[in-house]
Amino acid sequence: MGLKAGEFARMRNFKEIVHRTNMQKICSFVLNGIDPSRWDEELDIESYETRLEKGEAPLWEFLENLYPDGKERDAAYELICTALITNQEVYTELGMKLGANMILELLKSNPLA
């Protein structure tokens, strides 16, 4: 049972292959198990700084409204920042290890020499 002409052509559509090789898509797949068929959704093209600001702003605004007193607000900030930093450290390390593992697997399956 062979491939049909259209299926073979899709396998050779390098632009489509390159389009699927996107960091946000790979992260979604690895971290959340997002189905690749949903990868046609629009990617977030804003800068990392803008994306972080937009994601964090509601949290800081909520805390300022919840704790107008400086001491309580500062204590809440410290707790949240410590949790976020720990999260960033773990996911950065995990991402580096996963990336290195992908490179090792690639080299094992197709050595240069």
Side-chain angles (χ1 to χ4, degrees), residues 96-112:
M96 292 172 72
K97 286 182 177 181
L98 290 172
N101 191 51
M102 289 173 64
I103 290 169
L104 287 173
E105 289 297 317
L106 177 65
L107 292 174
K108 283 181 195 175
S109 67
N110 193 9
L112 296 173

Side-chain angles (χ1 to χ4, degrees), residues 3-4 6 13 18 20 38-39 47 53 55 65 72 86 106 113:
L3 292 174
K4 296 177 184 172
N13 186 342
V18 170
R20 286 191 303 260
R38 293 183 49 203
W39 284 0
S47 71
E53 287 171 11
N65 291 330
E72 289 178 332
T86 301
L106 177 65

Side-chain angles (χ1 to χ4, degrees), residues 73-109:
R73 185 178 59 235
D74 290 347
Y77 280 0
E78 180 146 354
L79 287 171
I80 291 170
C81 288
T82 299
L84 290 173
I85 288 168
T86 301
N87 188 289
Q88 287 176 342
E89 290 171 348
V90 167
Y91 277 101
T92 299
E93 183 179 331
L94 180 61
M96 292 172 72
K97 286 182 177 181
L98 290 172
N101 191 51
M102 289 173 64
I103 290 169
L104 287 173
E105 289 297 317
L106 177 65
L107 292 174
K108 283 181 195 175
S109 67

Side-chain angles (χ1 to χ4, degrees), residues 23-60:
M23 188 59 63
Q24 288 180 27
K25 293 176 182 180
I26 292 170
C27 288
S28 292
F29 177 71
V30 173
L31 291 174
N32 306 316
I34 300 298
D35 181 357
S37 67
R38 293 183 49 203
W39 284 0
D40 289 334
E41 296 174 5
E42 256 186 63
L43 299 175
D44 194 339
I45 58 170
E46 294 182 309
S47 71
Y48 292 136
E49 292 83 5
T50 301
R51 289 166 57 191
L52 288 172
E53 287 171 11
K54 283 184 175 181
E56 293 172 356
L59 172 63
W60 302 130

